[in-house]
Amino acid sequence: MRDQDIVYAGNEAAQEGDADGRALAEYMNAIIAGVGANSKIKLLSPAFNITSRFTPPLIVEMLSAGANFSGLAGCAGNTYTVAGQGAYSWYQSFLAQTGLAGKCNFVFTEFGDFDTFGKELDTRPDVIIRMKSEFNKTIADSSVLGALYFNALGGNPEFKGHQLSQTEYSQIVATNPGLAEGRRLGFTVMTGCMVGSSLAIAPALHIAAAS
């Protein structure tokens, strides 16, 4: 039975399946109301795991409970090329299943390709070419505010496989490096909890300070 919690780690199936969309919507709306018209603070949603089958039903439940997505500066989400599907394709499927298209623009607080695992830096040109293609497709979508590569510097040893060399990173984001840094946002993404080089959302919303 669901425990009515609002914890949504975004990477644990048991937690995702148990998360209560109604409680999460109430919590999110309360944060939005608390910030009010303060122009110095902008909010992003909890970071949704776009590649998880549990996430679309959670969003639908939030919407049916009156989640105020229009009160946010944007939505946060994590998407990867994984399980034979590209990162941008996962995003397109997610929008189609949730009905969020047109309601909230997204910043990908985690972005990447799991096929970087098990391959040494600068020895995987096929993967890097595909990552460049995924990045270009993603940033061409005006609903995407930014795509931030997870653990690109290798600071989180648990996910060392996501590390990119400077040459690889530069090749991938060559067409628009600013969007890999979230410059379309117009503000700096912050959170109260950091895990390695990853942004952790459990259950806090992203707090974004106006620049």
mmCIF file of all heavy atoms in Angstrom, residues 2 8 16-17 19-22 48-49 52-65 94 97-99:
data_model
loop_
_atom_site.group_PDB
_atom_site.id
_atom_site.type_symbol
_atom_site.label_atom_id
_atom_site.label_comp_id
_atom_site.label_asym_id
_atom_site.label_seq_id
_atom_site.Cartn_x
_atom_site.Cartn_y
_atom_site.Cartn_z
ATOM 1 N N ARG A 2 0.473 2.271 -0.725
ATOM 2 C CA ARG A 2 1.236 3.496 -0.775
ATOM 3 C C ARG A 2 1.253 4.161 0.586
ATOM 4 O O ARG A 2 0.277 4.141 1.330
ATOM 5 C CB ARG A 2 0.627 4.441 -1.821
ATOM 6 C CG ARG A 2 0.585 3.830 -3.193
ATOM 7 C CD ARG A 2 -0.215 4.664 -4.146
ATOM 8 N NE ARG A 2 0.529 5.826 -4.553
ATOM 9 C CZ ARG A 2 -0.003 6.798 -5.293
ATOM 10 N NH1 ARG A 2 -1.264 6.751 -5.642
ATOM 11 N NH2 ARG A 2 0.719 7.821 -5.655
ATOM 12 N N TYR A 8 10.604 11.523 -3.740
ATOM 13 C CA TYR A 8 10.733 11.107 -5.135
ATOM 14 C C TYR A 8 12.191 11.263 -5.528
ATOM 15 O O TYR A 8 12.655 12.333 -5.895
ATOM 16 C CB TYR A 8 9.838 11.962 -6.036
ATOM 17 C CG TYR A 8 9.925 11.549 -7.494
ATOM 18 C CD1 TYR A 8 9.296 10.409 -7.960
ATOM 19 C CD2 TYR A 8 10.685 12.293 -8.375
ATOM 20 C CE1 TYR A 8 9.404 10.015 -9.265
ATOM 21 C CE2 TYR A 8 10.808 11.904 -9.706
ATOM 22 C CZ TYR A 8 10.162 10.777 -10.146
ATOM 23 O OH TYR A 8 10.279 10.379 -11.453
ATOM 24 N N GLU A 16 9.708 5.389 -6.656
ATOM 25 C CA GLU A 16 8.919 5.990 -7.722
ATOM 26 C C GLU A 16 7.510 5.413 -7.744
ATOM 27 O O GLU A 16 6.520 6.138 -7.875
ATOM 28 C CB GLU A 16 9.597 5.764 -9.073
ATOM 29 C CG GLU A 16 10.893 6.547 -9.230
ATOM 30 C CD GLU A 16 11.673 6.109 -10.453
ATOM 31 O OE1 GLU A 16 11.216 5.189 -11.156
ATOM 32 O OE2 GLU A 16 12.738 6.678 -10.708
ATOM 33 N N GLY A 17 7.418 4.096 -7.618
ATOM 34 C CA GLY A 17 6.115 3.461 -7.656
ATOM 35 C C GLY A 17 5.268 3.790 -6.456
ATOM 36 O O GLY A 17 4.044 3.726 -6.501
ATOM 37 N N ALA A 19 5.488 6.794 -4.710
ATOM 38 C CA ALA A 19 5.274 8.229 -4.540
ATOM 39 C C ALA A 19 3.812 8.595 -4.810
ATOM 40 O O ALA A 19 3.184 8.078 -5.727
ATOM 41 C CB ALA A 19 6.194 9.009 -5.464
ATOM 42 N N ASP A 20 3.275 9.477 -4.000
ATOM 43 C CA ASP A 20 1.877 9.889 -4.078
ATOM 44 C C ASP A 20 1.791 11.199 -4.852
ATOM 45 O O ASP A 20 2.215 12.252 -4.361
ATOM 46 C CB ASP A 20 1.332 10.058 -2.658
ATOM 47 C CG ASP A 20 -0.175 10.293 -2.628
ATOM 48 O OD1 ASP A 20 -0.697 10.897 -3.577
ATOM 49 O OD2 ASP A 20 -0.809 9.869 -1.650
ATOM 50 N N GLY A 21 1.239 11.157 -6.055
ATOM 51 C CA GLY A 21 1.150 12.346 -6.892
ATOM 52 C C GLY A 21 0.309 13.435 -6.279
ATOM 53 O O GLY A 21 0.598 14.628 -6.437
ATOM 54 N N ARG A 22 -0.732 13.062 -5.560
ATOM 55 C CA ARG A 22 -1.590 14.069 -4.922
ATOM 56 C C ARG A 22 -0.837 14.810 -3.826
ATOM 57 O O ARG A 22 -0.921 16.044 -3.724
ATOM 58 C CB ARG A 22 -2.840 13.401 -4.359
ATOM 59 C CG ARG A 22 -3.773 12.827 -5.408
ATOM 60 C CD ARG A 22 -4.760 11.860 -4.806
ATOM 61 N NE ARG A 22 -4.082 10.717 -4.186
ATOM 62 C CZ ARG A 22 -4.693 9.734 -3.554
ATOM 63 N NH1 ARG A 22 -6.014 9.755 -3.422
ATOM 64 N NH2 ARG A 22 -4.007 8.733 -3.028
ATOM 65 N N PHE A 48 12.086 14.883 -12.403
ATOM 66 C CA PHE A 48 11.385 13.648 -12.743
ATOM 67 C C PHE A 48 12.269 12.727 -13.584
ATOM 68 O O PHE A 48 12.975 13.171 -14.490
ATOM 69 C CB PHE A 48 10.108 13.972 -13.521
ATOM 70 C CG PHE A 48 9.122 14.786 -12.746
ATOM 71 C CD1 PHE A 48 8.854 16.105 -13.083
ATOM 72 C CD2 PHE A 48 8.451 14.233 -11.660
ATOM 73 C CE1 PHE A 48 7.950 16.854 -12.354
ATOM 74 C CE2 PHE A 48 7.548 14.974 -10.929
ATOM 75 C CZ PHE A 48 7.296 16.299 -11.272
ATOM 76 N N ASN A 49 12.202 11.447 -13.272
ATOM 77 C CA ASN A 49 12.951 10.438 -14.024
ATOM 78 C C ASN A 49 12.182 10.122 -15.308
ATOM 79 O O ASN A 49 11.237 9.331 -15.303
ATOM 80 C CB ASN A 49 13.148 9.183 -13.173
ATOM 81 C CG ASN A 49 14.018 8.148 -13.858
ATOM 82 O OD1 ASN A 49 14.372 8.290 -15.028
ATOM 83 N ND2 ASN A 49 14.370 7.104 -13.130
ATOM 84 N N SER A 52 11.685 6.428 -16.629
ATOM 85 C CA SER A 52 11.021 5.443 -15.762
ATOM 86 C C SER A 52 9.550 5.285 -16.130
ATOM 87 O O SER A 52 8.841 6.272 -16.334
ATOM 88 C CB SER A 52 11.136 5.859 -14.300
ATOM 89 O OG SER A 52 10.291 5.063 -13.479
ATOM 90 N N ARG A 53 9.055 4.050 -16.122
ATOM 91 C CA ARG A 53 7.644 3.796 -16.415
ATOM 92 C C ARG A 53 6.730 4.302 -15.315
ATOM 93 O O ARG A 53 5.523 4.463 -15.519
ATOM 94 C CB ARG A 53 7.418 2.294 -16.620
ATOM 95 C CG ARG A 53 7.672 1.426 -15.391
ATOM 96 C CD ARG A 53 7.547 -0.053 -15.718
ATOM 97 N NE ARG A 53 7.875 -0.907 -14.591
ATOM 98 C CZ ARG A 53 6.998 -1.306 -13.670
ATOM 99 N NH1 ARG A 53 5.737 -0.896 -13.743
ATOM 100 N NH2 ARG A 53 7.364 -2.096 -12.684
ATOM 101 N N PHE A 54 7.271 4.558 -14.130
ATOM 102 C CA PHE A 54 6.458 5.034 -13.024
ATOM 103 C C PHE A 54 6.154 6.528 -13.110
ATOM 104 O O PHE A 54 5.213 7.010 -12.478
ATOM 105 C CB PHE A 54 7.163 4.766 -11.681
ATOM 106 C CG PHE A 54 7.269 3.315 -11.326
ATOM 107 C CD1 PHE A 54 8.492 2.662 -11.385
ATOM 108 C CD2 PHE A 54 6.149 2.594 -10.940
ATOM 109 C CE1 PHE A 54 8.595 1.322 -11.057
ATOM 110 C CE2 PHE A 54 6.249 1.246 -10.604
ATOM 111 C CZ PHE A 54 7.476 0.616 -10.666
ATOM 112 N N THR A 55 6.949 7.273 -13.871
ATOM 113 C CA THR A 55 6.822 8.726 -13.841
ATOM 114 C C THR A 55 5.584 9.270 -14.542
ATOM 115 O O THR A 55 4.897 10.137 -13.986
ATOM 116 C CB THR A 55 8.094 9.385 -14.403
ATOM 117 O OG1 THR A 55 9.233 8.877 -13.699
ATOM 118 C CG2 THR A 55 8.055 10.889 -14.224
ATOM 119 N N PRO A 56 5.239 8.822 -15.759
ATOM 120 C CA PRO A 56 4.033 9.383 -16.391
ATOM 121 C C PRO A 56 2.771 9.272 -15.538
ATOM 122 O O PRO A 56 2.039 10.271 -15.404
ATOM 123 C CB PRO A 56 3.939 8.596 -17.704
ATOM 124 C CG PRO A 56 5.358 8.281 -18.040
ATOM 125 C CD PRO A 56 5.978 7.953 -16.710
ATOM 126 N N PRO A 57 2.474 8.116 -14.920
ATOM 127 C CA PRO A 57 1.277 8.069 -14.068
ATOM 128 C C PRO A 57 1.349 9.028 -12.882
ATOM 129 O O PRO A 57 0.328 9.565 -12.448
ATOM 130 C CB PRO A 57 1.232 6.610 -13.590
ATOM 131 C CG PRO A 57 2.035 5.854 -14.585
ATOM 132 C CD PRO A 57 3.110 6.784 -15.029
ATOM 133 N N LEU A 58 2.568 9.233 -12.364
ATOM 134 C CA LEU A 58 2.738 10.172 -11.253
ATOM 135 C C LEU A 58 2.385 11.589 -11.696
ATOM 136 O O LEU A 58 1.684 12.326 -10.990
ATOM 137 C CB LEU A 58 4.178 10.119 -10.749
ATOM 138 C CG LEU A 58 4.547 11.096 -9.625
ATOM 139 C CD1 LEU A 58 3.850 10.700 -8.325
ATOM 140 C CD2 LEU A 58 6.055 11.160 -9.429
ATOM 141 N N ILE A 59 2.851 11.985 -12.885
ATOM 142 C CA ILE A 59 2.550 13.321 -13.413
ATOM 143 C C ILE A 59 1.053 13.474 -13.647
ATOM 144 O O ILE A 59 0.456 14.505 -13.306
ATOM 145 C CB ILE A 59 3.310 13.577 -14.724
ATOM 146 C CG1 ILE A 59 4.819 13.479 -14.521
ATOM 147 C CG2 ILE A 59 2.928 14.931 -15.321
ATOM 148 C CD1 ILE A 59 5.413 14.572 -13.708
ATOM 149 N N VAL A 60 0.444 12.467 -14.245
ATOM 150 C CA VAL A 60 -1.000 12.516 -14.509
ATOM 151 C C VAL A 60 -1.763 12.693 -13.198
ATOM 152 O O VAL A 60 -2.728 13.474 -13.117
ATOM 153 C CB VAL A 60 -1.454 11.240 -15.252
ATOM 154 C CG1 VAL A 60 -2.973 11.166 -15.318
ATOM 155 C CG2 VAL A 60 -0.858 11.208 -16.656
ATOM 156 N N GLU A 61 -1.331 11.986 -12.162
ATOM 157 C CA GLU A 61 -1.982 12.104 -10.863
ATOM 158 C C GLU A 61 -1.785 13.498 -10.279
ATOM 159 O O GLU A 61 -2.710 14.082 -9.690
ATOM 160 C CB GLU A 61 -1.432 11.050 -9.903
ATOM 161 C CG GLU A 61 -2.195 10.950 -8.604
ATOM 162 C CD GLU A 61 -1.714 9.805 -7.729
ATOM 163 O OE1 GLU A 61 -0.519 9.459 -7.792
ATOM 164 O OE2 GLU A 61 -2.547 9.262 -6.984
ATOM 165 N N MET A 62 -0.595 14.060 -10.459
ATOM 166 C CA MET A 62 -0.333 15.417 -9.984
ATOM 167 C C MET A 62 -1.237 16.422 -10.691
ATOM 168 O O MET A 62 -1.814 17.318 -10.071
ATOM 169 C CB MET A 62 1.138 15.784 -10.204
ATOM 170 C CG MET A 62 2.118 15.063 -9.311
ATOM 171 S SD MET A 62 3.842 15.575 -9.641
ATOM 172 C CE MET A 62 3.814 17.271 -9.027
ATOM 173 N N LEU A 63 -1.358 16.277 -12.016
ATOM 174 C CA LEU A 63 -2.197 17.195 -12.781
ATOM 175 C C LEU A 63 -3.662 17.104 -12.354
ATOM 176 O O LEU A 63 -4.347 18.122 -12.211
ATOM 177 C CB LEU A 63 -2.056 16.908 -14.279
ATOM 178 C CG LEU A 63 -0.742 17.350 -14.935
ATOM 179 C CD1 LEU A 63 -0.610 16.737 -16.328
ATOM 180 C CD2 LEU A 63 -0.674 18.867 -15.018
ATOM 181 N N SER A 64 -4.126 15.884 -12.136
ATOM 182 C CA SER A 64 -5.519 15.713 -11.724
ATOM 183 C C SER A 64 -5.771 16.286 -10.335
ATOM 184 O O SER A 64 -6.902 16.635 -9.995
ATOM 185 C CB SER A 64 -5.911 14.234 -11.753
ATOM 186 O OG SER A 64 -5.226 13.507 -10.751
ATOM 187 N N ALA A 65 -4.698 16.406 -9.545
ATOM 188 C CA ALA A 65 -4.815 16.971 -8.199
ATOM 189 C C ALA A 65 -4.598 18.481 -8.198
ATOM 190 O O ALA A 65 -4.549 19.102 -7.131
ATOM 191 C CB ALA A 65 -3.818 16.298 -7.266
ATOM 192 N N PHE A 94 7.591 10.858 -23.032
ATOM 193 C CA PHE A 94 7.159 11.346 -21.721
ATOM 194 C C PHE A 94 6.122 12.456 -21.876
ATOM 195 O O PHE A 94 5.080 12.446 -21.204
ATOM 196 C CB PHE A 94 8.392 11.844 -20.969
ATOM 197 C CG PHE A 94 8.119 12.634 -19.727
ATOM 198 C CD1 PHE A 94 7.840 12.002 -18.526
ATOM 199 C CD2 PHE A 94 8.172 14.023 -19.756
ATOM 200 C CE1 PHE A 94 7.602 12.733 -17.376
ATOM 201 C CE2 PHE A 94 7.933 14.761 -18.615
ATOM 202 C CZ PHE A 94 7.650 14.121 -17.423
ATOM 203 N N GLN A 97 2.770 11.049 -23.020
ATOM 204 C CA GLN A 97 2.057 10.257 -22.016
ATOM 205 C C GLN A 97 1.521 11.087 -20.858
ATOM 206 O O GLN A 97 0.545 10.685 -20.210
ATOM 207 C CB GLN A 97 2.988 9.182 -21.453
ATOM 208 C CG GLN A 97 3.394 8.112 -22.444
ATOM 209 C CD GLN A 97 4.387 7.146 -21.820
ATOM 210 O OE1 GLN A 97 4.079 6.420 -20.878
ATOM 211 N NE2 GLN A 97 5.603 7.136 -22.338
ATOM 212 N N THR A 98 2.140 12.226 -20.595
ATOM 213 C CA THR A 98 1.776 13.000 -19.405
ATOM 214 C C THR A 98 0.855 14.181 -19.686
ATOM 215 O O THR A 98 0.155 14.650 -18.787
ATOM 216 C CB THR A 98 3.035 13.553 -18.714
ATOM 217 O OG1 THR A 98 3.739 14.400 -19.644
ATOM 218 C CG2 THR A 98 3.950 12.428 -18.253
ATOM 219 N N GLY A 99 0.886 14.700 -20.912
ATOM 220 C CA GLY A 99 0.116 15.901 -21.209
ATOM 221 C C GLY A 99 0.788 17.172 -20.743
ATOM 222 O O GLY A 99 0.157 18.234 -20.672
#
